Amino acid sequence: MTATPNIFRWLLMLALFICSYGFLKDVSSLPSNLMPNDKVMHLVIFMALTLLWQLSFAGKTLTGLAIMATYGGAIELLQHYFTVRTGDWWDWVADLSGILVALICWKLLPEKYKPFQAKPEMC
C-alpha cells in the first residue's frame, strides 16, 4: 500500500480530533507528575500536526501555517471560556514555536525524502 496525500489527510483529521479532545478535557483529577512539561507537549504536538499538514497538502505551507496558528489560538480561547482549564497564551507561543520548527525541518529535508512534490504556492 502506497502512502498518498489522502491517507495523511485522514491522519491529520484524526490527530486534530484527538488533540482537541485532549486540549479541552478536564485534567484536574490527573496527578501533576503524570503530565510532562506542558509547553514541550504543545511544541511537539504542533510540530506533528504541521508535518501532517505538509504531507497532506504539499505546496500549501502558508495556508497550513495560518490554520495551525488559528487552531492553537482557538484552543486557548476555548479552554478559557468553555472549560475548567485556563487558556495560556504562552501555550500558544509554544504552538507557534512547534509550527515554525516543523516548517524549518521540512524546508531542510532534501526533496528526495519528501513523499510528494510540492506545487508552487499561490498567495
Side-chain angles (χ1 to χ4, degrees):
M1 179 176 176
T2 304
T4 65
N6 283 334
I7 291 172
F8 289 109
R9 289 175 187 156
W10 282 104
L11 286 172
L12 176 62
M13 287 191 300
L14 178 64
L16 286 169
F17 178 78
I18 292 169
C19 290
S20 296
Y21 176 77
F23 284 135
L24 300 175
K25 180 181 177 5
D26 179 11
V27 293
S28 60
S29 63
L30 293 176
S32 61
N33 63 349
L34 184 65
M35 301 289 283
N37 185 300
D38 181 51
K39 305 304 179 259
V40 172
M41 284 182 58
H42 277 266
L43 185 133
V44 170
I45 288 168
F46 275 81
M47 277 180 59
L49 290 173
T50 302
L51 290 173
L52 277 173
W53 174 273
Q54 289 297 104
L55 290 166
S56 299
F57 302 101
K60 304 279 188 205
T61 302
L62 292 178
T63 303
L65 186 143
I67 288 172
M68 291 300 150
T70 302
Y71 172 71
I75 288 294
E76 296 309 316
L77 289 171
L78 289 169
Q79 282 180 347
H80 181 75
Y81 288 109
F82 297 106
T83 70
V84 295
R85 298 174 72 170
T86 56
D88 180 4
W89 290 113
W90 287 112
D91 285 348
W92 190 57
V93 170
D95 299 344
L96 295 175
S97 299
I99 294 166
L100 292 176
V101 168
L103 292 177
I104 290 168
C105 290
W106 185 263
K107 185 73 173 168
L108 295 175
L109 186 67
E111 288 297 321
K112 68 180 181 177
Y113 295 115
K114 295 179 185 176
F116 313 108
Q117 291 292 13
K119 298 168 187 78
E121 187 158 345
M122 301 295 291
C123 292

